[in-house]
Amino acid sequence: MPILAAGSRKPCRSGRGFTLLELLVVLAIVAFASAGVGFAMRDGTQTRLEREALRLAALLESARVRSQVSGAPVRWRVAGNDFGFEGLVLTGQPDQDLPQAWLDPDTSARVDSTSLVQNQPAVAGQNALVLGPDPIIEPQALTLFSRSEPGKFVRLATDGVRPFAVADGAP
């Protein structure tokens, strides 16, 4: 066993590998880098459609409640590249405070032609949702899709009792 003189250094242990702290730092750097790449690779079109679907679900429920309060039937209709609410009157003046356009101009919508529960076809050529004034409405669904990427879509549906929500499955 060697004896060190006062003021001398310990012998250096070279070639022994990495310390646990060094390995943890490297793993943390790799984890942050892979998370950043994963977020960067997220599909922007699908994200925009999901955001539009959540926004439209809130607008539909707002119009549904206003229809129940006023007692007047309200329809939501796709109008070319935009959409609109028909029959929404609360104070004698048409209600213009609900948006009438998509946030993303690439978005379009189609009202599904079959009922969710009964599988009966809707009225031919009808491209509208009936939102009231009854508290319980017919089951209805619509599909938001991207004009530039037709394979990307999000489906909104209600069973007539619950609010409109993003539905699982294909239209």
Side-chain angles (χ1 to χ4, degrees):
M1 181 185 280
I3 299 177
L4 298 173
S8 66
R9 296 183 169 171
K10 287 186 173 181
C12 183
R13 299 184 195 188
S14 61
R16 300 284 293 183
F18 296 108
T19 65
L20 180 60
L21 182 61
E22 291 169 334
L23 289 174
L24 288 175
V25 168
V26 169
L27 285 176
I29 291 171
V30 169
F32 283 123
S34 62
V37 168
F39 285 127
M41 292 179 63
R42 174 131 189 199
D43 184 15
T45 303
Q46 191 69 28
T47 303
R48 287 191 302 270
L49 282 174
E50 290 170 3
R51 183 174 11 142
E52 289 281 10
L54 292 174
R55 175 179 175 252
L56 183 57
L59 290 174
L60 291 173
E61 288 309 309
S62 174
R64 189 173 172 184
V65 168
R66 291 177 184 196
S67 174
Q68 291 171 4
V69 168
S70 69
V74 173
R75 291 184 184 274
W76 178 85
R77 188 176 303 275
V78 178
N81 294 337
D82 293 325
F83 57 87
F85 294 92
E86 298 172 355
L88 194 57
V89 177
L90 287 180
T91 60
Q93 299 293 330
D95 198 346
Q96 300 297 328
D97 64 342
L98 289 179
Q100 307 286 319
W102 304 110
L103 293 175
D104 182 15
D106 186 43
T107 304
S108 189
R110 174 185 66 242
V111 176
D112 294 349
S113 63
T114 58
S115 173
L116 294 175
V117 175
Q118 301 158 348
N119 288 330
Q120 297 175 351
V123 178
Q126 180 181 1
N127 202 19
L129 299 174
V130 179
L131 302 173
D134 298 324
I136 299 176
I137 59 176
E138 293 183 21
Q140 301 176 71
L142 67 118
T143 303
L144 299 180
F145 58 92
S146 170
R147 286 190 205 111
S148 62
E149 297 181 50
K152 307 283 184 180
F153 62 88
V154 175
R155 187 167 188 240
L156 277 175
T158 181
D159 62 358
V161 178
R162 289 181 281 223
F164 280 90
V166 175
D168 296 331

